[in-house]
Amino acid sequence: VQLQASGGGLVQPGGSLRLSCAVSGFESNYYSIGWFRQAPGKEREGVSCISNVDGVTYYADSVKGRFTISRDNAKNTLFLEMNTVKPEDTAIYYCALGERLYYGSGGGGFYCPPYGMDYWGKGTLVTVSS
């Protein structure tokens, strides 16, 4: 399984950026896939992910209303549209795929913990600065 993220770069605060992740070599229809990021000195965190089973999405509170996850199944490509970016969005962004689906306890919603992902691509650096 290979995942290749691209599209990172330098963007000014308030600007937009679109990340892409090309996926190959995975045959099952039961998986989740998403975007994660790691800022200097911080732990890797989930940004947004999507269940391939039912299309349910997850967004971290810090990006809700600003980022949008989408995919082109015909091209096996995952996207992350980043709008109204902030300096705190600066990080290395990774795409990852997991063979399990995770839901919060007590009927909680779908989410994608970094420890639950099985395949990782190399990251792409996003720097938000004026």
Short mmCIF file of all heavy atoms in Angstrom, two decimals, residues 62-120:
data_model
loop_
_atom_site.label_atom_id
_atom_site.label_comp_id
_atom_site.label_asym_id
_atom_site.label_seq_id
_atom_site.Cartn_x
_atom_site.Cartn_y
_atom_site.Cartn_z
N SER A 62 -10.66 22.06 15.76
CA SER A 62 -9.83 23.20 15.35
C SER A 62 -9.94 23.54 13.87
O SER A 62 -9.54 24.63 13.45
CB SER A 62 -8.37 22.92 15.71
OG SER A 62 -7.93 21.73 15.06
N VAL A 63 -10.50 22.62 13.06
CA VAL A 63 -10.56 22.86 11.61
C VAL A 63 -11.99 22.86 11.09
O VAL A 63 -12.21 23.12 9.90
CB VAL A 63 -9.72 21.84 10.82
CG1 VAL A 63 -8.28 21.82 11.34
CG2 VAL A 63 -10.34 20.45 10.86
N LYS A 64 -12.95 22.58 11.94
CA LYS A 64 -14.35 22.55 11.50
C LYS A 64 -14.75 23.88 10.90
O LYS A 64 -14.46 24.94 11.45
CB LYS A 64 -15.27 22.22 12.67
CG LYS A 64 -15.33 20.75 13.02
CD LYS A 64 -16.29 20.50 14.18
CE LYS A 64 -16.31 19.02 14.55
NZ LYS A 64 -17.19 18.77 15.73
N GLY A 65 -15.41 23.82 9.74
CA GLY A 65 -15.85 25.04 9.07
C GLY A 65 -14.79 25.66 8.19
O GLY A 65 -15.09 26.59 7.42
N ARG A 66 -13.56 25.18 8.28
CA ARG A 66 -12.47 25.75 7.47
C ARG A 66 -11.89 24.72 6.50
O ARG A 66 -11.51 25.07 5.38
CB ARG A 66 -11.35 26.26 8.37
CG ARG A 66 -11.78 27.34 9.34
CD ARG A 66 -10.57 27.95 10.06
NE ARG A 66 -9.83 26.99 10.86
CZ ARG A 66 -8.55 26.69 10.70
NH1 ARG A 66 -7.85 27.28 9.74
NH2 ARG A 66 -7.95 25.80 11.49
N PHE A 67 -11.80 23.48 6.91
CA PHE A 67 -11.23 22.43 6.08
C PHE A 67 -12.33 21.49 5.58
O PHE A 67 -13.32 21.26 6.28
CB PHE A 67 -10.22 21.59 6.87
CG PHE A 67 -8.96 22.31 7.25
CD1 PHE A 67 -8.79 23.67 7.07
CD2 PHE A 67 -7.91 21.61 7.84
CE1 PHE A 67 -7.63 24.33 7.42
CE2 PHE A 67 -6.74 22.24 8.21
CZ PHE A 67 -6.60 23.60 8.00
N THR A 68 -12.13 20.95 4.38
CA THR A 68 -13.08 20.01 3.81
C THR A 68 -12.33 18.83 3.22
O THR A 68 -11.41 19.01 2.41
CB THR A 68 -13.93 20.67 2.72
OG1 THR A 68 -14.62 21.80 3.26
CG2 THR A 68 -14.95 19.69 2.17
N ILE A 69 -12.74 17.63 3.62
CA ILE A 69 -12.15 16.42 3.07
C ILE A 69 -13.03 15.92 1.93
O ILE A 69 -14.26 16.00 2.00
CB ILE A 69 -11.97 15.34 4.16
CG1 ILE A 69 -11.11 14.19 3.67
CG2 ILE A 69 -13.32 14.84 4.68
CD1 ILE A 69 -10.71 13.21 4.77
N SER A 70 -12.40 15.41 0.89
CA SER A 70 -13.15 14.86 -0.24
C SER A 70 -12.27 13.83 -0.95
O SER A 70 -11.08 13.70 -0.64
CB SER A 70 -13.58 15.96 -1.22
OG SER A 70 -12.45 16.58 -1.79
N ARG A 71 -12.85 13.12 -1.89
CA ARG A 71 -12.07 12.12 -2.60
C ARG A 71 -12.61 11.94 -4.01
O ARG A 71 -13.76 12.20 -4.30
CB ARG A 71 -12.12 10.79 -1.85
CG ARG A 71 -13.52 10.31 -1.56
CD ARG A 71 -13.53 9.08 -0.71
NE ARG A 71 -14.89 8.69 -0.35
CZ ARG A 71 -15.20 7.54 0.21
NH1 ARG A 71 -14.25 6.65 0.49
NH2 ARG A 71 -16.45 7.25 0.51
N ASP A 72 -11.73 11.47 -4.86
CA ASP A 72 -12.06 11.10 -6.22
C ASP A 72 -11.78 9.60 -6.32
O ASP A 72 -10.63 9.19 -6.50
CB ASP A 72 -11.21 11.90 -7.22
CG ASP A 72 -11.57 11.61 -8.66
OD1 ASP A 72 -12.09 10.50 -8.94
OD2 ASP A 72 -11.31 12.46 -9.51
N ASN A 73 -12.82 8.80 -6.16
CA ASN A 73 -12.62 7.35 -6.14
C ASN A 73 -12.08 6.82 -7.46
O ASN A 73 -11.31 5.86 -7.48
CB ASN A 73 -13.93 6.65 -5.78
CG ASN A 73 -14.30 6.85 -4.33
OD1 ASN A 73 -13.44 7.04 -3.47
ND2 ASN A 73 -15.59 6.82 -4.04
N ALA A 74 -12.47 7.44 -8.55
CA ALA A 74 -12.00 6.98 -9.86
C ALA A 74 -10.49 7.14 -9.99
O ALA A 74 -9.83 6.37 -10.68
CB ALA A 74 -12.71 7.75 -10.96
N LYS A 75 -9.95 8.14 -9.31
CA LYS A 75 -8.51 8.40 -9.39
C LYS A 75 -7.78 7.98 -8.12
O LYS A 75 -6.58 8.24 -7.98
CB LYS A 75 -8.26 9.89 -9.66
CG LYS A 75 -8.80 10.37 -11.00
CD LYS A 75 -8.49 11.83 -11.23
CE LYS A 75 -9.00 12.29 -12.59
NZ LYS A 75 -8.71 13.73 -12.84
N ASN A 76 -8.53 7.33 -7.19
CA ASN A 76 -7.91 6.88 -5.94
C ASN A 76 -7.14 8.01 -5.25
O ASN A 76 -5.99 7.84 -4.83
CB ASN A 76 -6.97 5.70 -6.19
CG ASN A 76 -7.72 4.46 -6.62
OD1 ASN A 76 -8.85 4.21 -6.18
ND2 ASN A 76 -7.12 3.67 -7.49
N THR A 77 -7.78 9.14 -5.16
CA THR A 77 -7.14 10.32 -4.61
C THR A 77 -8.00 10.95 -3.52
O THR A 77 -9.22 11.07 -3.69
CB THR A 77 -6.84 11.36 -5.70
OG1 THR A 77 -6.06 10.74 -6.73
CG2 THR A 77 -6.07 12.54 -5.12
N LEU A 78 -7.34 11.32 -2.44
CA LEU A 78 -7.99 11.99 -1.32
C LEU A 78 -7.53 13.44 -1.31
O LEU A 78 -6.37 13.72 -1.64
CB LEU A 78 -7.59 11.31 -0.01
CG LEU A 78 -8.18 11.84 1.28
CD1 LEU A 78 -9.65 11.42 1.39
CD2 LEU A 78 -7.38 11.33 2.48
N PHE A 79 -8.43 14.34 -0.94
CA PHE A 79 -8.10 15.77 -0.91
C PHE A 79 -8.39 16.37 0.45
O PHE A 79 -9.23 15.87 1.20
CB PHE A 79 -8.91 16.53 -1.97
CG PHE A 79 -8.72 16.04 -3.37
CD1 PHE A 79 -9.67 15.22 -3.96
CD2 PHE A 79 -7.60 16.41 -4.10
CE1 PHE A 79 -9.51 14.76 -5.26
CE2 PHE A 79 -7.42 15.96 -5.40
CZ PHE A 79 -8.38 15.13 -5.98
N LEU A 80 -7.70 17.46 0.74
CA LEU A 80 -8.03 18.28 1.90
C LEU A 80 -8.00 19.72 1.45
O LEU A 80 -6.93 20.25 1.12
CB LEU A 80 -7.05 18.06 3.06
CG LEU A 80 -7.40 18.83 4.33
CD1 LEU A 80 -8.67 18.25 4.97
CD2 LEU A 80 -6.25 18.79 5.34
N GLU A 81 -9.16 20.33 1.40
CA GLU A 81 -9.27 21.75 1.05
C GLU A 81 -9.15 22.55 2.34
O GLU A 81 -9.95 22.41 3.26
CB GLU A 81 -10.62 22.02 0.39
CG GLU A 81 -10.74 23.39 -0.24
CD GLU A 81 -9.96 23.49 -1.55
OE1 GLU A 81 -9.91 22.50 -2.29
OE2 GLU A 81 -9.41 24.57 -1.82
N MET A 82 -8.10 23.37 2.40
CA MET A 82 -7.83 24.15 3.59
C MET A 82 -8.12 25.61 3.29
O MET A 82 -7.47 26.21 2.43
CB MET A 82 -6.36 23.98 4.00
CG MET A 82 -5.94 22.53 4.18
SD MET A 82 -4.15 22.34 4.34
CE MET A 82 -3.83 23.27 5.83
N ASN A 83 -9.09 26.18 3.98
CA ASN A 83 -9.45 27.58 3.80
C ASN A 83 -9.26 28.35 5.10
O ASN A 83 -9.26 27.77 6.18
CB ASN A 83 -10.90 27.70 3.34
CG ASN A 83 -11.14 27.08 1.97
OD1 ASN A 83 -10.35 27.28 1.05
ND2 ASN A 83 -12.21 26.32 1.83
N THR A 84 -9.14 29.65 4.96
CA THR A 84 -8.96 30.53 6.13
C THR A 84 -7.90 29.96 7.06
O THR A 84 -8.11 29.82 8.27
CB THR A 84 -10.30 30.71 6.88
OG1 THR A 84 -11.38 30.84 5.95
CG2 THR A 84 -10.26 31.97 7.74
N VAL A 85 -6.75 29.63 6.50
CA VAL A 85 -5.71 29.00 7.31
C VAL A 85 -5.15 29.98 8.34
O VAL A 85 -5.18 31.20 8.16
CB VAL A 85 -4.59 28.44 6.42
CG1 VAL A 85 -5.11 27.32 5.54
CG2 VAL A 85 -3.94 29.55 5.60
N LYS A 86 -4.65 29.39 9.41
CA LYS A 86 -4.09 30.16 10.53
C LYS A 86 -2.65 29.72 10.78
O LYS A 86 -2.28 28.59 10.41
CB LYS A 86 -4.93 29.91 11.79
CG LYS A 86 -6.40 30.20 11.65
CD LYS A 86 -7.15 29.80 12.91
CE LYS A 86 -8.64 30.06 12.79
NZ LYS A 86 -9.38 29.65 14.02
N PRO A 87 -1.85 30.55 11.43
CA PRO A 87 -0.47 30.14 11.73
C PRO A 87 -0.41 28.82 12.49
O PRO A 87 0.52 28.02 12.28
CB PRO A 87 0.05 31.31 12.58
CG PRO A 87 -0.71 32.48 12.07
CD PRO A 87 -2.09 31.96 11.78
N GLU A 88 -1.40 28.55 13.33
CA GLU A 88 -1.39 27.30 14.09
C GLU A 88 -1.70 26.07 13.23
O GLU A 88 -1.64 24.95 13.72
CB GLU A 88 -2.37 27.37 15.27
CG GLU A 88 -3.77 27.83 14.92
CD GLU A 88 -3.96 29.33 15.15
OE1 GLU A 88 -3.06 30.11 14.81
OE2 GLU A 88 -5.03 29.68 15.68
N ASP A 89 -2.04 26.27 11.97
CA ASP A 89 -2.19 25.15 11.05
C ASP A 89 -0.85 24.68 10.49
O ASP A 89 -0.79 23.67 9.79
CB ASP A 89 -3.11 25.52 9.89
CG ASP A 89 -4.54 25.78 10.32
OD1 ASP A 89 -5.03 25.07 11.22
OD2 ASP A 89 -5.18 26.71 9.76
N THR A 90 0.21 25.40 10.78
CA THR A 90 1.53 25.03 10.32
C THR A 90 1.93 23.67 10.88
O THR A 90 1.91 23.46 12.10
CB THR A 90 2.56 26.09 10.73
OG1 THR A 90 2.26 27.32 10.06
CG2 THR A 90 3.97 25.65 10.37
N ALA A 91 2.27 22.74 10.00
CA ALA A 91 2.61 21.39 10.41
C ALA A 91 2.99 20.57 9.18
O ALA A 91 2.79 21.02 8.04
CB ALA A 91 1.44 20.72 11.12
N ILE A 92 3.51 19.39 9.44
CA ILE A 92 3.65 18.40 8.38
C ILE A 92 2.33 17.63 8.33
O ILE A 92 1.87 17.12 9.36
CB ILE A 92 4.82 17.45 8.62
CG1 ILE A 92 6.14 18.24 8.68
CG2 ILE A 92 4.89 16.40 7.52
CD1 ILE A 92 7.33 17.40 9.04
N TYR A 93 1.75 17.57 7.16
CA TYR A 93 0.48 16.88 6.97
C TYR A 93 0.71 15.53 6.31
O TYR A 93 1.42 15.42 5.31
CB TYR A 93 -0.45 17.74 6.11
CG TYR A 93 -1.06 18.88 6.88
CD1 TYR A 93 -0.28 19.97 7.26
CD2 TYR A 93 -2.40 18.87 7.26
CE1 TYR A 93 -0.82 21.03 7.99
CE2 TYR A 93 -2.96 19.91 7.98
CZ TYR A 93 -2.16 20.98 8.35
OH TYR A 93 -2.70 22.01 9.08
N TYR A 94 0.09 14.53 6.90
CA TYR A 94 0.21 13.16 6.41
C TYR A 94 -1.16 12.63 6.03
O TYR A 94 -2.16 12.95 6.67
CB TYR A 94 0.77 12.25 7.50
CG TYR A 94 2.11 12.63 8.05
CD1 TYR A 94 2.22 13.53 9.10
CD2 TYR A 94 3.27 12.06 7.54
CE1 TYR A 94 3.46 13.87 9.62
CE2 TYR A 94 4.52 12.38 8.06
CZ TYR A 94 4.60 13.29 9.10
OH TYR A 94 5.84 13.62 9.61
N CYS A 95 -1.20 11.78 5.03
CA CYS A 95 -2.41 11.01 4.79
C CYS A 95 -2.15 9.58 5.25
O CYS A 95 -1.02 9.09 5.20
CB CYS A 95 -2.84 11.04 3.32
SG CYS A 95 -1.64 10.50 2.12
N ALA A 96 -3.19 8.94 5.74
CA ALA A 96 -3.05 7.60 6.28
C ALA A 96 -4.33 6.82 6.08
O ALA A 96 -5.43 7.39 5.99
CB ALA A 96 -2.69 7.65 7.77
N LEU A 97 -4.19 5.50 6.07
CA LEU A 97 -5.33 4.60 5.85
C LEU A 97 -5.35 3.55 6.94
O LEU A 97 -4.30 3.02 7.33
CB LEU A 97 -5.19 3.93 4.47
CG LEU A 97 -6.31 3.04 3.96
CD1 LEU A 97 -6.36 3.07 2.44
CD2 LEU A 97 -6.14 1.60 4.44
N GLY A 98 -6.54 3.26 7.43
CA GLY A 98 -6.69 2.27 8.49
C GLY A 98 -7.71 1.21 8.12
O GLY A 98 -8.72 1.52 7.49
N GLU A 99 -7.46 -0.02 8.53
CA GLU A 99 -8.33 -1.14 8.19
C GLU A 99 -9.43 -1.36 9.23
O GLU A 99 -10.19 -2.32 9.12
CB GLU A 99 -7.49 -2.40 8.00
CG GLU A 99 -6.50 -2.29 6.85
CD GLU A 99 -5.69 -3.56 6.65
OE1 GLU A 99 -6.06 -4.59 7.24
OE2 GLU A 99 -4.71 -3.51 5.89
N ARG A 100 -9.50 -0.51 10.23
CA ARG A 100 -10.57 -0.57 11.21
C ARG A 100 -11.29 0.77 11.24
O ARG A 100 -10.70 1.80 10.91
CB ARG A 100 -10.00 -0.87 12.60
CG ARG A 100 -9.40 -2.25 12.75
CD ARG A 100 -8.95 -2.47 14.17
NE ARG A 100 -10.05 -2.34 15.13
CZ ARG A 100 -9.90 -2.43 16.44
NH1 ARG A 100 -8.72 -2.64 16.95
NH2 ARG A 100 -10.95 -2.30 17.24
N LEU A 101 -12.54 0.72 11.67
CA LEU A 101 -13.31 1.95 11.87
C LEU A 101 -13.49 2.16 13.36
O LEU A 101 -13.77 1.21 14.10
CB LEU A 101 -14.67 1.86 11.18
CG LEU A 101 -14.65 1.61 9.67
CD1 LEU A 101 -16.07 1.59 9.12
CD2 LEU A 101 -13.82 2.66 8.95
N TYR A 102 -13.32 3.38 13.81
CA TYR A 102 -13.41 3.69 15.23
C TYR A 102 -14.60 4.61 15.49
O TYR A 102 -14.84 5.57 14.74
CB TYR A 102 -12.12 4.36 15.70
CG TYR A 102 -10.94 3.44 15.73
CD1 TYR A 102 -10.19 3.20 14.58
CD2 TYR A 102 -10.56 2.79 16.91
CE1 TYR A 102 -9.11 2.33 14.61
CE2 TYR A 102 -9.48 1.93 16.94
CZ TYR A 102 -8.75 1.70 15.78
OH TYR A 102 -7.69 0.84 15.82
N TYR A 103 -15.30 4.29 16.61
CA TYR A 103 -16.42 5.12 17.04
C TYR A 103 -16.26 5.39 18.52
O TYR A 103 -15.79 4.55 19.28
CB TYR A 103 -17.75 4.42 16.77
CG TYR A 103 -18.01 4.17 15.30
CD1 TYR A 103 -17.57 3.00 14.70
CD2 TYR A 103 -18.68 5.11 14.53
CE1 TYR A 103 -17.78 2.78 13.35
CE2 TYR A 103 -18.90 4.89 13.19
CZ TYR A 103 -18.46 3.72 12.60
OH TYR A 103 -18.67 3.51 11.27
N GLY A 104 -16.67 6.58 18.94
CA GLY A 104 -16.58 6.92 20.34
C GLY A 104 -17.47 6.04 21.20
O GLY A 104 -18.47 5.50 20.72
N SER A 105 -17.13 5.91 22.47
CA SER A 105 -17.92 5.07 23.37
C SER A 105 -19.29 5.69 23.62
O SER A 105 -19.49 6.89 23.43
CB SER A 105 -17.18 4.90 24.69
OG SER A 105 -16.95 6.16 25.29
N GLY A 106 -20.23 4.84 24.00
CA GLY A 106 -21.58 5.32 24.29
C GLY A 106 -22.27 5.96 23.10
O GLY A 106 -23.01 6.94 23.25
N GLY A 107 -22.07 5.38 21.94
CA GLY A 107 -22.72 5.91 20.75
C GLY A 107 -22.05 7.12 20.15
O GLY A 107 -22.67 7.90 19.41
N GLY A 108 -20.78 7.28 20.48
CA GLY A 108 -20.04 8.42 19.97
C GLY A 108 -19.82 8.34 18.47
O GLY A 108 -20.03 7.31 17.84
N GLY A 109 -19.41 9.42 17.88
CA GLY A 109 -19.25 9.51 16.44
C GLY A 109 -17.99 8.86 15.92
O GLY A 109 -17.08 8.49 16.67
N PHE A 110 -17.93 8.75 14.61
CA PHE A 110 -16.78 8.20 13.91
C PHE A 110 -15.58 9.11 14.07
O PHE A 110 -15.70 10.34 14.07
CB PHE A 110 -17.17 8.08 12.42
CG PHE A 110 -16.02 7.83 11.49
CD1 PHE A 110 -15.40 6.60 11.46
CD2 PHE A 110 -15.58 8.83 10.64
CE1 PHE A 110 -14.35 6.36 10.59
CE2 PHE A 110 -14.53 8.61 9.77
CZ PHE A 110 -13.92 7.37 9.74
N TYR A 111 -14.42 8.51 14.24
CA TYR A 111 -13.20 9.29 14.31
C TYR A 111 -12.03 8.39 13.90
O TYR A 111 -12.19 7.18 13.72
CB TYR A 111 -12.97 9.86 15.72
CG TYR A 111 -12.59 8.84 16.77
CD1 TYR A 111 -11.30 8.80 17.29
CD2 TYR A 111 -13.52 7.93 17.26
CE1 TYR A 111 -10.95 7.89 18.26
CE2 TYR A 111 -13.17 7.01 18.21
CZ TYR A 111 -11.89 6.99 18.73
OH TYR A 111 -11.55 6.08 19.69
N CYS A 112 -10.86 8.99 13.72
CA CYS A 112 -9.69 8.24 13.27
C CYS A 112 -8.49 8.56 14.15
O CYS A 112 -7.81 9.58 13.91
CB CYS A 112 -9.35 8.59 11.82
SG CYS A 112 -10.63 8.19 10.65
N PRO A 113 -8.22 7.76 15.13
CA PRO A 113 -7.04 8.01 15.97
C PRO A 113 -5.78 7.64 15.22
O PRO A 113 -5.75 6.65 14.48
CB PRO A 113 -7.26 7.07 17.16
CG PRO A 113 -8.07 5.94 16.58
CD PRO A 113 -8.96 6.57 15.55
N PRO A 114 -4.72 8.43 15.38
CA PRO A 114 -3.47 8.11 14.68
C PRO A 114 -2.99 6.69 14.93
O PRO A 114 -2.48 6.03 14.03
CB PRO A 114 -2.49 9.15 15.23
CG PRO A 114 -3.36 10.33 15.57
CD PRO A 114 -4.64 9.72 16.09
N TYR A 115 -3.17 6.19 16.17
CA TYR A 115 -2.70 4.84 16.48
C TYR A 115 -3.49 3.77 15.73
O TYR A 115 -3.06 2.62 15.63
CB TYR A 115 -2.76 4.56 17.98
CG TYR A 115 -4.14 4.60 18.59
CD1 TYR A 115 -5.02 3.54 18.46
CD2 TYR A 115 -4.58 5.71 19.30
CE1 TYR A 115 -6.29 3.58 19.00
CE2 TYR A 115 -5.84 5.77 19.85
CZ TYR A 115 -6.70 4.70 19.69
OH TYR A 115 -7.96 4.75 20.23
N GLY A 116 -4.63 4.13 15.19
CA GLY A 116 -5.47 3.17 14.51
C GLY A 116 -5.23 3.07 13.02
O GLY A 116 -5.86 2.26 12.34
N MET A 117 -4.30 3.85 12.50
CA MET A 117 -4.04 3.84 11.07
C MET A 117 -2.90 2.88 10.76
O MET A 117 -1.91 2.81 11.49
CB MET A 117 -3.70 5.25 10.60
CG MET A 117 -4.70 6.31 11.05
SD MET A 117 -6.44 5.89 10.70
CE MET A 117 -6.50 6.22 8.96
N ASP A 118 -3.05 2.14 9.68
CA ASP A 118 -2.10 1.08 9.36
C ASP A 118 -1.06 1.46 8.32
O ASP A 118 0.03 0.89 8.30
CB ASP A 118 -2.87 -0.14 8.86
CG ASP A 118 -3.85 -0.67 9.90
OD1 ASP A 118 -3.36 -1.18 10.93
OD2 ASP A 118 -5.08 -0.55 9.71
N TYR A 119 -1.41 2.38 7.46
CA TYR A 119 -0.51 2.75 6.37
C TYR A 119 -0.38 4.28 6.33
O TYR A 119 -1.39 4.98 6.36
CB TYR A 119 -1.04 2.23 5.04
CG TYR A 119 -1.33 0.75 5.03
CD1 TYR A 119 -2.62 0.28 5.20
CD2 TYR A 119 -0.30 -0.17 4.88
CE1 TYR A 119 -2.90 -1.08 5.21
CE2 TYR A 119 -0.57 -1.54 4.89
CZ TYR A 119 -1.86 -1.98 5.05
OH TYR A 119 -2.12 -3.33 5.07
N TRP A 120 0.85 4.72 6.22
CA TRP A 120 1.14 6.16 6.23
C TRP A 120 1.94 6.54 5.01
O TRP A 120 2.83 5.80 4.56
CB TRP A 120 1.93 6.52 7.48
CG TRP A 120 1.14 6.40 8.74
CD1 TRP A 120 0.93 5.27 9.48
CD2 TRP A 120 0.46 7.45 9.42
NE1 TRP A 120 0.16 5.56 10.58
CE2 TRP A 120 -0.15 6.89 10.56
CE3 TRP A 120 0.30 8.81 9.18
CZ2 TRP A 120 -0.90 7.64 11.47
CZ3 TRP A 120 -0.44 9.57 10.08
CH2 TRP A 120 -1.03 8.98 11.20
#
